[in-house]
């Protein structure tokens, strides 16, 4: 039985937005809780990395069976949160699926598809494919944990995905490039009648 842990990176300060995107609400639910609920529906092992506004963001996760870990160095970059999440994973997991809060096209079915593809192919990396690129959510086999741990704190997993394309299997994610970075994105997110 394959065990894949999901690491939800929710520590960023959303500097371009001016407010923590994790706390933005979409369809009545904060983005961080929405992402955590989808993660839990795909895997029983979910770690949420907190940093900026950790008390407020953590409060959004009350009642959910997730493990929260604090990243005091969150301001260094996404790589530092990735490291914090990896450090607390159970020793018996076969892989780690990294995801963010603000990719609204990511649902439980997509997360399950990444895990099922990993179980079927045993590929070192199973990445989401969108807008001509490969990115997160992405699943990394345990064999690559040392490479993830060696990433710069200021970087993210995308560099590792691009390092050796032969190690990567893709799962399409239409609209995966749509995320929340600016005030315009927030307006689009909250506009009545928005599809998806």
């Amino acid at each position: 039985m394959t065990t894949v842990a999901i690491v939800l990176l929710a520590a960023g300060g959303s500097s371009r937005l001016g407010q923590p995107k994790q706390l933005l609400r979409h369809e009545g639910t904060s983005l961080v809780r929405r992402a955590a609920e989808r993660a839990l529906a795909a895997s029983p092992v979910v770690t949420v990395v907190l940093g900026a506004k950790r008390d407020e963001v953590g409060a959004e996760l009350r009642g959910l069976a997730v493990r929260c870990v604090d990243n005091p160095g969150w301001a260094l970059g996404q790589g530092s949160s990735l490291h914090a999440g990896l450090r607390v994973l159970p020793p018996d997991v076969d892989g780690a699926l990294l995801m963010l809060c603000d990719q609204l096209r990511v649902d439980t079915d997509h997360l399950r598809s990444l895990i099922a593809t990993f179980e079927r192919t045993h590929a070192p990396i199973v990445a989401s494919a969108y807008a001509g690129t490969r990115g997160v959510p992405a699943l990394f086999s345990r064999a690559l944990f040392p490479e993830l741990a060696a990433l710069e704190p200021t970087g993210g997993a995308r560099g590792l995905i691009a390092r050796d394309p032969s190690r990567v299997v893709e799962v399409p994610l239409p609209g995966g490039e749509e995320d929340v970075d600016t005030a315009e994105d927030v307006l689009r997110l909250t506009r009545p009648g928005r599809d998806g």
Side-chain angles (χ1 to χ4, degrees), residues 10-14 20-24 30-33 52 57 60 101:
S14 313
K21 66 177 76 174
Q22 301 92 315
L23 299 175
L24 292 175
S30 65
L31 294 191
V32 68
R33 187 175 183 93
V57 176
E60 290 293 322
C101 293

Side-chain angles (χ1 to χ4, degrees), residues 2 115-126 141 167 169:
T2 304
I115 294 170
T117 301
F118 175 66
E119 290 174 338
R120 187 179 72 251
T121 65
H122 304 288
I125 302 173
V126 180
S141 76
R167 300 193 294 190
V169 171

Side-chain angles (χ1 to χ4, degrees), residues 139-193:
L139 199 166
F140 298 84
S141 76
R142 182 169 201 88
L144 293 191
F145 284 9
E147 289 184 55
L148 285 171
L151 291 173
E152 292 293 325
T154 52
R158 190 169 290 229
L160 182 52
I161 295 170
R163 187 175 295 167
D164 182 355
S166 71
R167 300 193 294 190
V168 185
V169 171
E170 295 181 356
V171 175
L173 176 60
E177 70 279 7
E178 296 178 21
D179 57 12
V180 180
D181 282 321
T182 65
E184 289 74 24
D185 294 334
V186 177
L187 289 172
R188 177 172 49 80
L189 174 74
T190 55
R191 186 180 301 138

Side-chain angles (χ1 to χ4, degrees), residues 50-124:
L50 305 177
K53 303 280 188 184
R54 71 171 184 269
D55 292 339
E56 295 95 320
V57 176
E60 290 293 322
L61 302 169
R62 280 197 192 113
L64 297 182
V66 299
R67 176 174 186 174
C68 292
V69 58
D70 188 32
N71 174 22
W74 63 268
L76 291 172
Q78 200 175 93
S80 69
S81 292
L82 192 159
H83 297 159
L86 277 182
R87 277 195 295 269
V88 301
L89 292 185
D92 59 342
V93 298
D94 300 294
L97 199 172
L98 306 179
M99 66 179 292
L100 307 174
C101 293
D102 65 340
Q103 289 177 293
L104 299 181
R105 299 292 181 179
V106 174
D107 56 16
T108 297
D109 285 345
H110 183 69
L111 298 175
R112 286 176 176 159
S113 182
L114 290 168
I115 294 170
T117 301
F118 175 66
E119 290 174 338
R120 187 179 72 251
T121 65
H122 304 288

